[in-house]
Amino acid sequence: NAGVTQTPKFQVLKTGQSMTLQCAQDMNHEYMSWYRQDPGMGLRLIHYSVGAGITDQGEVPNGYNVSRSTTEDFPLRLLSAAPSQTSVYFCASSPRQGSGYTFGSGTRLTVV
Amino acid sequence: AQTVTQSQPEMSVQEAETVTLSCTYDTSESDYYLFWYKQPPSRQMILVIRQEAYKQQNATENRFSVNFQKAAKSFSLKISDSQLGDAAMYFCAYMRETSGSRLTFGEGTQLTVNP
């Protein structure tokens, strides 16, 4: 099993550009989430999903969109990149409520 | 809103010694889960240990154990026989029972292991 796969691993964007961070899991997990990690602030939840077709906002959703058309995939879209979105982004999945999450290896995004 | 506080930004320990990392949290819920995650320099987030709040028994995973004090809202991680590979950032995290599996993380504690 590959677990949780995130692509790309590194990305540089110009202010105003849009892009999609890809996330796929092959463990048939129902729950998936996106977090961003900034220095000194731990990880903060952007959006999450409790199953295909169901998504909801987390703590810091502004500037990001998600969709969950299949159990396997949970892409994160940056609509118009801003320097404040420079961060490391993690996708994670979990089989059920209360279980620990399996994390992807992260995407380091720089917006210039 | 739930908050998680790790009051020790940095800790160090000698190889083979024991170290305890502190975590406190704020919640009005009675049912929840607590976790410790490890993030080595590779950036990968690795689940170390999980505790269910309704269980009084402290969770243990090999050299890692927790001291869960529900009334005090405290959840510390003890690492015994520390190894060089334990050097990492450690995050405490909280999950409410009915939250859609949303995790709230603390700010992390950077652990250095000295040979």
Side-chain angles (χ1 to χ4, degrees):
Chain A
N1 286 347
V4 179
T5 303
Q6 288 185 238
T7 56
K9 295 193 183 305
F10 301 93
Q11 182 70 48
V12 178
L13 287 180
K14 294 183 178 179
T15 298
Q17 286 184 319
S18 62
M19 79 159 295
T20 299
L21 306 184
Q22 301 292 343
C23 175
Q25 53 92 7
D26 61 0
M27 299 172 284
N28 202 32
H29 286 177
E30 288 297 317
Y31 295 92
M32 296 188 75
S33 299
W34 277 101
Y35 293 85
R36 60 177 287 174
Q37 182 178 21
D38 301 296
M41 299 185 73
L43 282 77
R44 292 181 293 169
L45 181 65
I46 305 171
H47 285 286
Y48 67 102
S49 170
V50 300
I54 306 169
T55 63
D56 205 346
Q57 296 181 351
E59 182 184 355
V60 288
N62 292 341
Y64 308 95
N65 272 356
V66 292
S67 60
R68 183 103 181 266
S69 56
T70 66
T71 298
E72 294 77 20
D73 299 301
F74 191 44
L76 178 72
R77 299 181 187 84
L78 279 70
L79 308 174
S80 177
S84 61
Q85 293 179 305
T86 294
S87 188
V88 178
Y89 291 84
F90 287 96
C91 179
S93 73
S94 173
R96 66 189 67 83
Q97 174 72 22
S99 291
Y101 270 87
T102 299
F103 281 78
S105 57
T107 296
R108 180 174 293 278
L109 175 68
T110 302
V111 182
V112 297
Chain B
Q2 288 78 28
T3 59
V4 178
T5 302
Q6 295 179 248
S7 59
Q8 307 152 316
E10 298 177 347
M11 292 281 286
S12 63
V13 64
Q14 292 297 125
E15 196 175 3
E17 297 294 310
T18 295
V19 65
T20 298
L21 308 183
S22 300
C23 173
T24 58
Y25 56 94
D26 181 29
T27 184
S28 59
E29 305 290 327
S30 59
D31 294 325
Y32 49 87
Y33 305 89
L34 296 163
F35 304 85
W36 279 98
Y37 279 88
K38 169 185 178 181
Q39 186 179 43
S42 67
R43 196 172 71 192
Q44 183 69 48
M45 292 287 289
I46 303 164
L47 177 63
V48 175
I49 204 163
R50 169 182 175 271
Q51 175 80 41
E52 298 169 354
Y54 65 86
K55 289 187 177 179
Q56 293 187 347
Q57 185 174 4
N58 290 325
T60 299
E61 289 288 342
N62 300 316
R63 297 182 296 107
F64 298 87
S65 61
V66 298
N67 184 5
F68 172 49
Q69 301 289 328
K70 190 172 185 179
K73 298 179 183 176
S74 171
F75 184 60
S76 60
L77 175 70
K78 185 172 80 171
I79 306 174
S80 303
D81 185 25
S82 296
Q83 301 175 358
L84 294 177
D86 294 334
M89 180 73 84
Y90 286 82
F91 292 98
C92 178
Y94 166 96
M95 178 191 292
R96 200 174 67 183
E97 171 69 33
T98 56
S99 67
S101 274
R102 289 177 292 178
L103 283 168
T104 300
F105 285 88
E107 296 177 352
T109 296
Q110 182 67 51
L111 178 66
T112 301
V113 181
N114 300 309

